[in-house]
Amino acid sequence: MYKYWTKCRIEDLKYRQLIKAICNHDVGIKPTIYHRVYFINISKKTIFHIYDDRGCDVISPSREALTDIYKEYNDWILDYDRERINNVFLG
C-alpha cells in the first residue's frame, strides 16, 4: 500500500481533471486513476471520496458541516440510503 498526501489550496489542484480520471476508471476511458482519492478539507472538517462513476461519499463528524450539502444535493441521495440519511438530518 502506498499513501501520498499534499497540503494545498483548492486553487492549486486541477480537481476537475482528477475527478474525471477517477470516474473514468470503471468505464475504461483515459486518463484513469486506479487508486482511492480523498479530498480532505481541514477547515470545514469534511472528506469527499468519489468511489466510482456512480457516486461519492461526503463525510464529517459534524452534521452541521454537511447540512447545506444535504439540502442542495438531496435529490442525489440513493433510495436505499435515503431513510438512514434523512434520519440524521431530520431526526
Side-chain angles (χ1 to χ4, degrees):
M1 176 189 301
Y2 295 98
K3 295 181 185 180
Y4 300 96
W5 67 276
T6 184
K7 188 174 182 179
C8 61
R9 297 175 311 181
I10 192 74
E11 301 85 29
D12 299 332
L13 285 175
K14 294 182 180 181
Y15 65 90
R16 290 180 193 262
Q17 291 170 321
L18 283 169
I19 291 170
K20 193 171 193 175
I22 294 165
C23 293
N24 286 347
H25 175 261
D26 282 344
V27 292
I29 302 171
K30 291 187 179 186
T32 299
I33 294 177
Y34 293 99
H35 306 287
R36 293 182 186 150
V37 177
Y38 298 87
F39 296 92
I40 302 170
N41 186 320
I42 295 170
S43 62
K44 292 184 179 182
K45 298 181 181 172
T46 57
I47 298 172
F48 180 68
H49 172 243
I50 302 171
Y51 46 83
D52 62 24
D53 61 313
R54 296 167 292 172
C56 68
D57 294 315
V58 183
I59 306 159
S60 176
S62 163
R63 177 178 54 206
E64 291 76 23
L66 300 175
T67 300
D68 290 339
I69 295 168
Y70 169 76
K71 289 176 182 176
E72 185 170 347
Y73 299 101
N74 189 276
D75 57 326
W76 291 14
I77 297 171
L78 300 175
D79 289 338
Y80 70 83
D81 285 331
R82 183 166 299 283
E83 183 178 351
R84 183 175 52 86
I85 292 172
N86 284 346
N87 285 337
V88 170
F89 291 96
L90 303 176

